[in-house]
Amino acid sequence: MKQKIVIALGGNALGETPSEQRDAVAIAARSIVDLIALGHDVTVVHGNGPQVGMIHLAFDIAAQQTEDIPEMPFAEASAMSQGYIGYHLQNAVGNELRERTIDKSVATVLTQVVVDKQDPAFTTLTKPIGPFYDEVTMLALSEKNGYTYIEDSGRGYRRVVASPMPVTVVERDAIKSLVDAGVLVISNGGGGIPVIEENGKYVGVDAVIDKDNAASKVADEIDADILVILTGVDKVAIHYGKFNQEWLTTLTIPMANQYINEGHFAPGSMLPKVEASVRFVEGRQNRKAIITSLENAHLAISEGNGTTIQS
Ligand code: ADP
Ligand code: MG
């Protein structure tokens, strides 16, 4: 049966440099097109941590050296990363489709995501971005640009920005129309460009939306059947990395909530994936979420491999 699927691609599907990324997306493209070959409609959401960090750093260094290069706001750097990664994905998926003689269009939608300016994430900044600085450099920078920096696990100081929850996807109707017309859509790159509403207008802000939360939100808004979160592991585990580690094939919402409370899922890595999955399926019997690896994607859909989260 044809299903509407939203895929969230993890960092390992992209690599860090342009050439690494070209090679990595060629592999990701195979997994994506495997799902197309099974007859499903697919929307791809991806992360952008290393890419937006690189773009931001390049502008930072250049702006310190010459007045010809302006300060680049974070939302603009995020938009650039959507174009850069969207290009590679569009190119690789297009090539893979042609190789398999599947006639399908691929389109990247530059995506803005509304966040709430009252979100507590704006008062407690948590998301470290960009390079590490020593204390002297950090103090000089913060004096100059007013940014907030924190000490990051003994490795030096990094800029931190807010990581608010997505409220709604501005381009949701465009994404839905394209998907319903049979186009393979790449949307919400890096979680989406965060915007707040001010006097009836959307304005970009310095923040990062978690891509798993963003994928869950867009999946909900286009009323997808399945949210597939592709990451570095085949399944979710409890007692992860310990002697009594146990891989999970299915996860109900009460079980997921219990394991979340017991601290089985690492914040910033597996926790947002499980939470995003729960939010997508909660109260919706016809929906499911799957967390698995890139290599396992089509088996997860056709054979139930991976960890399935259902109401
Ligand atoms: P992505 O780039 O795909 O978002 P992350 O590194 O943020 O990937 O999160 C996925 C990683 O979370 C896994 O590769 C694994 O190392 C780690 N992880 C933490 N807790 C668990 C758990 N309970 N079960 C499985 N993996 C876990
Ligand atoms: Mg992650």
Side-chain angles (χ1 to χ4, degrees):
M1 196 180 68
K2 179 179 173 138
Q3 309 262 31
K4 203 189 280 189
I5 300 175
V6 172
I7 298 178
L9 280 185
N12 59 330
L14 297 177
E16 307 217 338
T17 63
S19 68
E20 256 179 52
Q21 183 169 292
R22 243 187 327 261
D23 294 343
V25 294
I27 296 168
R30 272 179 239 147
S31 298
I32 294 165
V33 175
D34 283 344
L35 299 185
I36 298 292
L38 292 170
H40 303 304
D41 287 329
V42 174
T43 303
V44 178
V45 173
H46 58 82
N48 75 343
Q51 296 79 5
V52 75
M54 174 183 75
I55 293 166
H56 202 255
L57 175 61
F59 274 100
D60 246 22
I61 293 172
Q64 283 170 39
Q65 294 188 354
T66 162
E67 305 219 319
D68 296 343
I69 301 289
E71 279 279 323
M72 191 55 61
F74 202 67
E76 275 75 354
S78 184
M80 291 181 198
S81 79
Q82 284 190 359
Y84 157 52
I85 301 166
Y87 153 54
H88 273 179
L89 275 169
Q90 221 169 279
N91 179 273
V93 171
N95 286 338
E96 185 70 25
L97 286 167
R98 258 190 309 282
E99 195 170 314
R100 300 199 209 180
T101 59
I102 299 172
D103 182 20
K104 201 169 187 66
S105 310
V106 188
T108 301
V109 176
L110 204 70
T111 314
Q112 307 171 82
V113 174
V114 181
V115 298
D116 182 355
K117 60 181 163 194
Q118 310 295 348
D119 192 310
F122 285 107
T123 37
T124 315
L125 309 180
T126 55
K127 180 78 188 174
I129 55 164
F132 293 91
Y133 299 104
D134 60 42
E135 192 173 353
V136 175
T137 314
M138 179 278 290
L139 288 172
L141 281 171
S142 100
E143 172 91 356
K144 187 170 148 243
N145 56 30
Y147 297 160
T148 307
Y149 293 83
I150 54 155
E151 217 285 313
D152 191 349
S153 355
R155 293 173 295 180
Y157 291 86
R158 285 177 94 186
R159 183 176 174 201
V160 274
V161 295
S163 186
M165 287 299 287
V167 175
T168 188
V169 178
V170 177
E171 290 78 16
R172 65 183 176 276
D173 292 339
I175 295 167
K176 190 166 187 302
S177 304
L178 286 168
V179 171
D180 291 346
V183 177
L184 195 161
V185 179
I186 298 155
S187 79
N188 290 80
I193 302 158
V195 296
I196 55 170
E197 199 176 334
E198 237 163 24
N199 307 321
K201 292 198 167 79
Y202 292 133
V203 186
V205 287
D206 284 358
V208 174
I209 299 167
D210 176 80
K211 69 117 180 16
D212 298 312
N213 286 329
S216 171
K217 176 57 75 179
V218 74
D220 176 54
E221 293 196 321
I222 67 168
D223 202 19
D225 304 299
I226 312 179
L227 170 66
V228 184
I229 301 182
L230 298 181
T231 185
V233 284
D234 285 339
K235 288 183 182 174
V236 179
I238 50 171
H239 307 291
Y240 179 69
K242 302 202 181 104
F243 73 95
N244 53 346
Q245 167 176 288
E246 200 182 308
W247 297 109
L248 305 170
T249 304
T250 54
L251 198 49
T252 61
I253 293 187
M255 277 162 69
N257 286 332
Q258 185 192 328
Y259 294 149
I260 288 170
N261 290 333
E262 290 171 1
H264 286 284
F265 312 127
S269 62
M270 191 47 76
L271 182 62
K273 299 183 199 309
V274 176
E275 287 178 335
S277 300
V278 167
R279 228 171 292 116
F280 176 64
V281 301
E282 212 157 30
R284 307 295 285 261
Q285 305 293 332
N286 54 335
R287 290 180 177 180
K288 65 178 172 187
I290 300 171
I291 300 175
T292 192
S293 62
L294 194 57
E295 305 75 40
N296 208 27
H298 69 291
L299 290 176
I301 304 285
S302 54
E303 318 260 341
N305 290 19
T307 302
T308 302
I309 298 124
Q310 244 167 335
S311 251

